[in-house]
Amino acid sequence: AVHDSDDRFNAPRCMPETRVEVQEEILSWISEPYNETSAAADRILWVTGPVGTGKTAVLGSIAESCKEKGHLAASFFFSPFSADRRCLIATLASQLLEHRDLRGIQEHMLSAMRHSPFVFTKNLKQQFDTLILGPLLEFRQREGLSATTPPLILIDGLEECGTGQPQQDASSPITNRGSPLSPARLRDDDQREILSFILHAVNNPLLPFRAVIASRPERTIRGFFGTDGKAITRELVLDNKYNPDADIARFYEMRLSVICHTSELPPDWPGVEKKQILVKYASGRFICAAKVMRFIEGASLPSTKPGTSSRLSTPSQRLERLFNLLLSPSPLSSLDIRSILGTSRETADDLYEKGTEAWHRYETSRKDADLTKAVGFYQQAQALRAERDMDEMIEKLHGKGITAWSSIYCD
């Protein structure tokens, strides 16, 4: 979960000359002098936006930059592979041991663990006070620690957090893991606990922290930043204000130029018009652009044996296959409409997520049906996002889905 962990060797990062404006804004906020006398000072920066807008790539680059400058205390990147919130404080504390400005803090941390051997059975706030805040205060008292540069905690993907156990939603029945006395824990509970610990950390009068948190604007998280954390939070939304299409165009240019060089293609391949179509197709979502490039590069395809042929063995063939889907009248026509709309209305974010899931399946299965689904979901999400009145568009699609299924059952 640490930003520079070996397990995150292929995690997204901002390519050179991309996302410059948003990175500069975040770094500017981080470097602002801390004002102890201002009760309303921004102590939390919430970076938010829909799925696929590049939050993780931005925070990955920010974490690297801050670590180089010595501004970063610790980071934690939640993901489907590192979602256990029970590891959060231990992971943050372990990074403080390596911090170049905190030589000698190990003694204080080990002492705290000896005095509280069951600390990891406590809630996050108690773990933080015991393993991080206490040792830092002792270290500051003995060694000195600047109060003008509060330690920075960076957390990404908060919506992914969990307990390491299967999560339930509020409508799920209580399982054998829960009872009236010990109810099953919900994902919302994990999010609230983490946000409460962050609020406690940044408001501590003895040693206040600063925090950068990135997440989708889910209900629980959005509710926190609109209530308890509102007075001390600055919100940064990754939207069209930061001109994502221009950054996506630069991303394509750099990656395609490498393909041209390694595959001996013309330097302007595949041409201005096709590049513009790829940018339009991404619709401001970096996740779409990244998946497209992985497909064109063949990174997710099995290598072909010498002497064998494959219809997708070259970048040109893969690009042609992709454009056949992008430019088809209706790539969704081959999909089971129930898998797109079901019996409830879909949002653009829902469709982007389904598109990403389909890409993952394609990378494993190599089945054309999964590739078609991925493109179809992304295109439908793009159509929804382009509509000014999205609710009206969703209602229309929902109505069409219900009508289609009614006709099937009637037939």
Side-chain angles (χ1 to χ4, degrees), residues 294-295 298-303 311-312 321 358-371:
R294 279 181 60 80
F295 179 73
S300 60
L301 298 175
S303 57
R311 59 191 179 88
L312 296 177
R321 168 64 176 143
W359 270 107
H360 288 318
R361 288 197 301 273
Y362 173 73
E363 290 173 346
T364 303
S365 69
R366 328 295 182 195
K367 294 180 179 178
D368 281 356
D370 288 327
L371 179 62

Side-chain angles (χ1 to χ4, degrees), residues 224-261:
F224 169 85
F225 288 118
T227 54
D228 295 352
K230 184 175 182 179
I232 58 171
T233 299
R234 183 183 301 183
E235 183 177 331
L236 190 155
V237 182
L238 296 184
D239 54 18
N240 290 334
K241 168 188 173 183
Y242 297 101
N243 196 8
D245 284 354
D247 284 334
I248 288 173
R250 283 191 284 270
F251 169 80
Y252 277 133
E253 285 289 348
M254 287 185 279
R255 295 283 284 267
L256 290 171
S257 66
V258 173
I259 292 178
C260 292
H261 177 73

Side-chain angles (χ1 to χ4, degrees), residues 117-190:
F118 301 107
V119 62
F120 292 115
T121 67
K122 308 297 184 181
N123 59 43
L124 295 184
K125 176 180 173 295
Q126 186 62 49
Q127 289 184 39
F128 170 78
D129 286 348
T130 302
L131 285 178
I132 295 179
L133 181 60
L136 277 175
L137 289 173
E138 291 186 21
F139 178 84
R140 185 175 71 171
Q141 185 177 0
R142 295 189 184 182
E143 309 291 339
L145 184 66
S146 173
T148 59
T149 55
L152 175 69
I153 295 175
L154 191 152
I155 295 178
D156 177 68
L158 182 56
E159 72 281 351
E160 299 278 4
C161 73
T163 60
Q165 300 293 339
Q167 295 280 310
Q168 295 179 322
D169 58 39
S171 61
S172 299
I174 298 296
T175 66
N176 57 5
R177 293 190 57 82
S179 70
L181 296 179
S182 177
R185 190 178 182 99
L186 307 177
R187 189 176 298 278
D188 287 358
D189 298 325
D190 295 333

Side-chain angles (χ1 to χ4, degrees), residues 339-355:
S339 69
I340 303 170
L341 296 174
T343 57
S344 62
R345 296 177 299 169
E346 296 279 7
T347 66
D349 279 356
D350 293 332
L351 292 167
Y352 274 117
E353 287 195 71
K354 288 188 175 183

